[in-house]
Amino acid sequence: MIEYIAHIREDGEIQSVEEHLKGTAELAGKFAKEFGNEDWGRIVALIHDIGKYNPAFQNYIKACNDWEEDDSEITSKKVDHSTAGGIFAVKKFGILGRIIAYCIAGHHAGLPDWNHEMSVGGDLSSRLKKEELLKIVEAQLAEFIRTIAMPLTPPAGKTIKDEYVHLWIRMLFSSLVDADRLDTENFMSPEKVKERGTYPSISELKEKLDTHLLKFKPDSKVNMIRKQILDECQQKAELPSGFFTLTVPTGGGKTLSSMAFALKHAIQHNKKRVIMAIPYTSIIEQTAETYRIVFGENSVLEHHSNLDPDKETQQSKLATENWDAPIIVTTNVQLFESLFAAKTSSCRKLHNLTNSVIILDEAQMLPTEYLKPILSSIKGLVEMFGVTVVLCSATQPALCGEIGSGDAKFKGIENATEIINSPKQLAENLKRVDLNISSKKLENYTELVNDLQTHEQVLCIVNTRKDCREIHSLMPEGTIHLSAFMCPQERSKIISEIKTRLKNKEALRVISTQLVEAGVDIDFPVVYRSLAGLDSIAQAAGRCNREGKLENAGNVNVFIPPKQAPVGMMRKGEDASKELIAMNRMDFSPDSIKTYFEIFYSKTNSFDKIQFNNRLVTNVRNFEFQFRTVAHEFNLIDDKAQKSIIVWYGENLPLIEQLRKKGIERWLMRKLQRYSVSISPSLFKFYQQLNYIEEIHGIWVQNTAGLYKEGIGLLTEDFGWSNDFVV
């Protein structure tokens, strides 16, 4: 009997195709069982690698492992082993077989489009025509494959809406990919199995949090209110799974209170893990550290692009592949781009979202141009996959009911349960600032600068990096400048310095862009904010009298800058705030915030940049999906609008030299990410033309001394340098 090879280990041991198919099927069935589709998971896995019965593949795998063979047909050329299973599924199950075919055809290259939009030839409709790939292996198929019957369970065990079918297929795909990789790992690298995490239970984590919370005493008005918020979170955790909102003013302690809700809710409803998604990496590091103090180093998985590789363990590296840790802190980019991804590396984790609690922190930051597909995906997770979603914000966006106006209008979340009994009363109780709004437009920044200098400790937040530099240049020496023209490494250092000086009650004046608004734990007595959306102004107010320690309220002063905010969402937010001012409704009450978002959304032209309906819903009955095109278009960070370069800062020159000598390595790129600055394509082109930057293994790096200045950041033509870079 011929033994068909799936994998060959270094020691010469063989895993047969049959062993691999059955091992993968056992795991995939287990994963898919979580959402009611064990039979689908098993069947997808049982046929995913039947292309390996192809003699050409057998020759290929032997050649790759330097087996001594006389067969002249042996070749090291790769062989398509992912298409035959898809063709088999369609032959066996008709049009329903396309569901399985997407998963099998994509289990290495990623989910394909049905019709070519991205590239000719890689689409599923073309691949299913290559019937010769099935004919080659039909005679070799084991009997257990021939007798496979149509899976019987409905999608996720329910009646599924058209808009969620693509999400269900992604969950099957994720189950297959994770199972395939784990079964292969179990055979090829059994030592890794021991390195994969064994984690404490949700109940044990809840006990640790309860113990930690006992340390906090309601010894001030603010802490008494935080205790009230925590108690209400604990009470509402017993409610049925679904959508919740947690509307808590900035500084209300929602980081721990939302986790207390999530863990108790998870115990009550047998959920597997808690996922905290945050808009900015700067907040993630702070949040993850808070949770590690409570739960221990190995209970919290921090997954984002700026993670320091020195902090990663082998266990955490493996956990980022499939998110099997009990607590995950990640970015909106990582979560939502994965939900619309095609690549196997991004999709592998998706099945572990099933039966979880997802906390969306700073929910008002969900990107407007992707709001329709994002809300559809989280509605699908809630309705089909047992997920509870908590929308956390001091400025809760109006996401329930109809959103937008005219042709852009779409249906948002049907309803959500507010965790706080009276958000309006809570906002009044936690009021720590007076909001002063100027009606006069500034002709220039001279008057503002004079006002700022009358305060010993003051924070001024503006809309653009250019304005930030201009105001800073007019301020006295010693004023701190903070903007995204600085690399993350320097920004972290400066924020740490700001916290220390505030704690020591030292004189301190800071000019910053809005990067300090969300989640940065700083507390000034006076804050100035350039006119912007009400949500941004409220976030800025959260940096003022944060702990409520001032005898009187802190002062938040909104000024109208000489120029409007840049065209786009920032301008729409500014315009919506102007309408609120005209209505005399410019305050931080939940009613005013709701009105603001209704006005803001009414000004939005489109909430669907990826053409969600056209590509993932319209042709659902024929199972025609444009997975790869959607993945290509779904970019929460617009790579076309921004270019990244690595700057010279601190002691990172040896890292740049290692990049030059060794090329791209994961640990090195993680370190260099801390020294990156994003700039416009036009500025990037300008640097290129003047040879101020160079390309090293595909990464653009500063090439000229003086281009980056500590305390100022990356210098631009219109600010900060002379022709010979004497700075």
Side-chain angles (χ1 to χ4, degrees):
M1 180 179 175
I2 299 174
E3 187 167 37
Y4 292 93
I5 302 168
H7 302 106
I8 302 173
R9 212 161 50 206
E10 284 187 359
D11 61 7
E13 286 294 309
I14 292 172
Q15 182 188 41
S16 70
V17 174
E18 183 169 336
E19 288 170 336
H20 177 54
L21 293 179
K22 289 182 175 179
T24 304
E26 184 177 347
L27 286 171
K30 174 186 171 185
F31 297 153
K33 186 178 181 180
E34 288 290 328
F35 50 89
N37 291 128
E38 181 179 8
D39 53 351
W40 283 92
R42 288 187 61 82
I43 289 169
V44 169
L46 282 173
I47 58 178
H48 82 283
D49 264 357
I50 63 173
K52 289 186 175 181
Y53 284 112
N54 188 333
F57 179 84
Q58 293 299 303
N59 290 336
Y60 160 73
I61 195 169
K62 291 173 184 176
C64 289
N65 287 272
D66 298 321
W67 277 34
E68 295 295 331
E69 295 281 348
D70 295 328
D71 194 336
S72 60
E73 295 296 317
I74 288 183
T75 174
S76 60
K77 185 179 179 181
K78 286 188 176 181
V79 178
D80 178 357
H81 72 274
S82 302
T83 300
I87 298 170
F88 177 87
V90 174
K91 291 272 188 185
K92 186 89 173 176
F93 307 129
I95 194 170
L96 290 175
R98 291 181 183 179
I99 297 166
I100 296 172
Y102 279 109
C103 300
I104 295 175
H107 80 273
H108 283 291
L111 285 167
D113 283 341
W114 173 253
N115 290 312
H116 63 81
E117 221 178 312
M118 291 296 301
S119 60
V120 177
D123 53 280
L124 186 61
S125 59
S126 297
R127 291 175 67 177
L128 291 178
K129 294 174 184 176
K130 299 178 180 180
E131 295 189 11
E132 69 278 2
L133 292 174
L134 177 60
K135 290 178 181 177
I136 292 170
V137 302
E138 277 184 312
Q140 287 82 27
L141 295 184
E143 191 59 29
F144 72 90
I145 294 172
R146 299 178 194 281
T147 57
I148 285 174
M150 182 71 198
L152 298 176
T153 56
K158 304 176 180 69
T159 301
I160 193 168
K161 295 178 182 176
D162 287 356
E163 68 174 303
Y164 304 149
V165 174
H166 79 96
L167 181 60
W168 174 60
I169 293 174
R170 292 177 195 279
M171 288 297 193
L172 290 175
F173 178 62
S174 171
S175 299
L176 169 63
V177 170
D178 196 22
D180 180 38
R181 303 303 189 265
L182 287 174
D183 184 74
T184 301
E185 180 184 287
N186 289 344
F187 175 74
M188 297 293 289
S189 307
E191 70 281 357
K192 280 190 178 180
V193 177
K194 299 174 184 177
E195 294 171 345
R196 286 196 176 271
T198 53
Y199 303 104
S201 67
I202 293 291
S203 295
E204 290 172 311
L205 294 173
K206 178 65 165 61
E207 289 176 10
K208 288 186 177 183
L209 179 58
D210 290 343
T211 300
H212 180 80
L213 291 172
L214 289 175
K215 301 175 186 176
F216 293 93
K217 306 298 181 184
D219 52 5
S220 68
K221 179 185 176 182
V222 169
N223 282 339
M224 288 176 66
I225 294 171
R226 288 171 178 165
K227 177 66 166 58
Q228 173 197 333
I229 292 167
L230 175 64
D231 290 343
E232 291 182 17
C233 284
Q234 300 269 28
Q235 292 163 12
K236 296 289 177 67
E238 298 181 2
L239 293 176
S241 180
F243 276 106
F244 291 84
T245 53
L246 179 57
T247 308
V248 175
T250 302
K254 67 180 187 299
T255 299
L256 291 178
S257 292
S258 62
M259 182 57 69
F261 169 90
L263 290 176
K264 186 172 181 180
H265 187 78
I267 293 169
Q268 186 81 16
H269 300 286
N270 195 31
K271 300 197 181 294
K272 302 285 185 178
R273 57 187 48 83
V274 177
I275 300 162
M276 168 77 83
I278 300 173
Y280 301 117
T281 52
S282 58
I283 314 173
I284 285 185
E285 294 168 359
Q286 179 178 293
T287 303
E289 183 59 29
T290 297
Y291 289 152
R292 275 194 289 267
I293 291 170
V294 177
F295 301 114
E297 193 71 30
N298 295 325
S299 298
V300 180
L301 172 64
E302 188 178 349
H303 190 187
H304 58 86
S305 60
N306 280 358
L307 186 62
D308 186 344
D310 290 340
K311 295 180 180 179
E312 289 188 281
T313 64
Q314 180 64 9
Q315 178 180 327
S316 69
K317 289 177 184 177
L318 293 172
T320 59
E321 296 175 350
N322 63 358
W323 280 11
D324 62 352
I327 295 176
I328 296 157
V329 184
T330 189
T331 57
N332 286 351
V333 171
Q334 183 64 238
L335 175 62
F336 290 116
E337 289 193 359
S338 294
L339 279 165
F340 289 93
K343 291 182 179 178
T344 56
S345 56
S346 297
C347 293
R348 179 176 175 179
K349 66 178 89 66
L350 292 181
H351 71 91
N352 275 329
L353 298 181
T354 305
N355 295 324
S356 65
V357 181
I358 298 177
I359 303 170
L360 298 179
D361 195 23
E362 306 296 353
Q364 79 282 355
M365 296 298 297
L366 292 176
T368 309
E369 60 267 56
Y370 296 101
L371 198 56
K372 182 176 180 178
I374 283 176
L375 292 187
S376 176
S377 69
I378 60 176
K379 286 193 295 182
L381 291 174
V382 169
E383 292 179 30
M384 304 299 296
F385 298 98
V387 174
T388 283
V389 172
V390 183
L391 301 165
C392 284
S393 181
T395 53
Q396 198 66 242
L399 299 180
C400 292
E402 296 286 347
I403 298 174
S405 61
D407 293 338
K409 185 185 291 186
F410 74 101
K411 189 176 181 180
I413 297 165
E414 190 168 332
N415 56 64
T417 301
E418 173 56 55
I419 292 173
I420 299 303
N421 293 330
S422 176
K424 183 177 181 179
Q425 186 63 51
L426 178 62
E428 292 176 2
N429 292 344
L430 260 180
K431 184 176 183 293
R432 290 156 292 172
V433 301
D434 289 329
L435 181 62
N436 309 301
I437 301 170
S438 173
S439 58
K440 175 187 171 186
K441 180 179 178 180
L442 297 177
E443 292 184 11
N444 55 54
Y445 285 123
T446 303
E447 183 180 342
L448 173 66
V449 167
N450 291 335
D451 286 347
L452 294 175
Q453 291 182 70
T454 65
H455 303 287
E456 284 293 297
Q457 290 188 331
V458 62
L459 168 66
C460 177
I461 303 174
V462 293
N463 291 326
T464 69
R465 296 184 285 194
K466 185 176 180 180
D467 284 347
C468 186
R469 283 186 168 174
E470 182 178 346
I471 296 169
H472 179 261
S473 70
L474 299 172
M475 292 291 291
E477 188 175 347
T479 302
I480 288 178
H481 166 269
L482 189 59
S483 85
F485 269 134
M486 296 169 160
C487 65
Q489 188 74 7
E490 184 174 13
R491 296 205 305 259
S492 295
K493 176 186 173 185
I494 290 173
I495 290 171
S496 177
E497 179 187 344
I498 289 170
K499 290 180 179 180
T500 299
R501 289 173 66 175
L502 285 171
K503 183 178 180 181
N504 294 338
K505 295 181 169 42
E506 299 175 29
L508 177 65
R509 300 184 182 101
V510 178
I511 315 298
S512 176
T513 59
Q514 59 267 40
L515 66 85
V516 298
E517 284 182 347
V520 180
D521 189 6
I522 52 179
D523 188 354
F524 282 82
V526 180
V527 170
Y528 282 71
R529 181 59 169 96
S530 178
L531 182 63
L534 179 59
D535 55 333
S536 293
I537 294 171
Q539 289 292 339
R543 311 312 122 197
C544 183
N545 196 22
R546 185 180 180 86
E547 296 298 322
K549 293 180 179 179
L550 298 177
E551 288 187 20
N552 301 310
N555 288 310
V556 176
N557 305 291
V558 178
F559 60 91
I560 303 175
K563 293 182 180 179
Q564 286 183 284
V567 173
M569 294 302 168
M570 193 177 289
R571 175 78 63 84
K572 292 181 191 296
E574 182 183 82
D575 289 343
S577 288
K578 287 178 179 177
E579 289 193 31
L580 276 186
I581 292 171
M583 297 162 60
N584 199 28
R585 294 279 305 280
M586 194 67 167
D587 58 62
F588 301 141
S589 68
D591 288 343
S592 292
I593 290 167
K594 182 174 184 291
T595 301
Y596 163 77
F597 276 106
E598 289 171 346
I599 296 171
F600 175 69
Y601 290 149
S602 73
K603 296 178 180 295
T604 301
N605 300 323
S606 173
F607 300 93
D608 186 16
K609 192 173 181 179
I610 64 170
Q611 300 177 45
F612 174 69
N613 278 353
N614 292 341
R615 289 170 169 158
L616 294 177
V617 181
T618 302
N619 296 315
V620 66
R621 299 305 168 93
N622 292 321
F623 301 103
E624 297 177 4
F625 304 98
Q626 298 300 96
F627 286 115
R628 192 160 298 183
T629 299
V630 165
H632 182 263
E633 297 292 328
F634 195 98
N635 297 300
L636 298 193
I637 298 175
D638 190 349
D639 294 333
K640 295 177 183 176
Q642 295 286 312
K643 298 283 188 179
S644 290
I645 63 172
I646 306 299
V647 298
W648 297 355
Y649 173 74
E651 299 177 356
N652 76 329
L653 289 179
L655 294 175
I656 294 172
E657 282 307 304
Q658 288 195 59
L659 174 66
R660 196 184 305 277
K661 292 176 182 177
K662 297 184 178 181
I664 294 175
E665 296 184 4
R666 184 174 184 267
W667 70 270
L668 181 57
M669 294 315 300
R670 282 287 184 89
K671 279 187 173 292
L672 286 173
Q673 184 72 27
R674 298 285 301 167
Y675 301 92
S676 68
V677 176
S678 294
I679 57 177
S680 67
S682 59
L683 183 57
F684 179 83
K685 187 176 181 180
F686 178 79
Y687 287 160
Q688 276 185 307
Q689 290 172 341
L690 295 181
N691 199 33
Y692 294 160
I693 55 177
E694 63 173 322
E695 189 176 14
I696 305 175
H697 297 293
I699 308 300
W700 286 93
V701 178
Q702 178 178 340
N703 186 21
T704 306
L707 187 62
Y708 189 91
K709 184 177 181 180
E710 187 169 353
I712 296 295
L714 193 65
L715 302 185
T716 55
E717 183 185 21
D718 60 347
F719 194 94
W721 72 38
S722 62
N723 290 332
D724 57 358
F725 283 98
V726 177
V727 292

